[in-house]
Amino acid sequence: MLYGDETDRVLVDKYIMYPMLLTIFNRDLKVIAQSSFKLRQPYITLVENVMNAISFELRDVKKEMVQRKIKVADGKPVDDMTEYQIFVRGYQEVMRFPNVHLRNKAELLMKHFLFGTLVERK
């Protein structure tokens, strides 16, 4: 980020990633609910609890972004990347993320929310 500091960048990153995680977990929840597991409820409860944790963190991220005067426009797909317009205290910049990067980051964050720590890829 050109106009923001590290804290701003982390907030923007979370603001972009957390809704993605909610979408992924919501789809997984539907698959689990329709699965042939004998005991589905523990899995459903786990995913719902993770979704609640993400929602609470996203709420806090949004509050912090308002206080720091940061806005993020919805991402637009551009080839194999997604482009976001970021507004930081009156300055505008464009951030581009390769879709592969977003997918890998989502996987790491899913592990973080499911297992409680950030698990590095091996």
Side-chain angles (χ1 to χ4, degrees):
M1 276 182 94
L2 294 172
Y3 301 109
D5 57 17
E6 183 64 20
T7 304
D8 295 339
R9 191 197 60 74
V10 169
L11 286 171
V12 168
D13 194 45
K14 288 180 178 180
Y15 182 82
I16 291 169
M17 295 306 302
Y18 286 1
M20 247 182 254
L21 289 178
L22 288 172
T23 301
I24 292 166
F25 278 120
N26 195 34
R27 287 180 186 163
D28 292 349
L29 191 60
K30 289 176 184 174
V31 170
I32 293 168
Q34 296 173 355
S35 71
S36 61
F37 290 147
K38 289 188 182 206
L39 299 171
R40 275 179 259 166
Q41 195 55 45
Y43 299 105
I44 290 172
T45 302
L46 173 65
V47 172
E48 286 174 344
N49 287 341
V50 167
M51 289 175 70
N52 285 338
I54 294 169
S55 294
F56 283 124
E57 285 200 29
L58 182 58
R59 180 197 64 199
D60 293 341
V61 166
K62 288 179 179 180
K63 283 181 185 178
E64 180 81 15
M65 287 177 66
V66 168
Q67 291 172 352
R68 296 178 71 90
K69 298 178 182 163
I70 302 170
K71 293 182 183 179
V72 178
D74 287 338
K76 292 184 227 170
V78 178
D79 296 325
D80 61 344
M81 304 184 98
T82 303
E83 181 178 282
Y84 293 90
Q85 287 194 4
I86 315 295
F87 301 91
V88 181
R89 293 177 282 287
Y91 294 97
Q92 176 185 357
E93 66 181 278
V94 174
M95 292 180 75
R96 292 176 185 89
F97 297 96
N99 293 333
V100 171
H101 170 76
L102 293 173
R103 187 191 69 219
N104 292 339
K105 181 82 172 173
E107 183 180 335
L108 284 175
L109 287 170
M110 286 175 73
K111 289 177 182 179
H112 166 70
F113 281 104
L114 287 168
F115 305 120
T117 60
L118 282 175
V119 179
E120 292 298 321
R121 298 186 101 189
K122 293 183 180 179

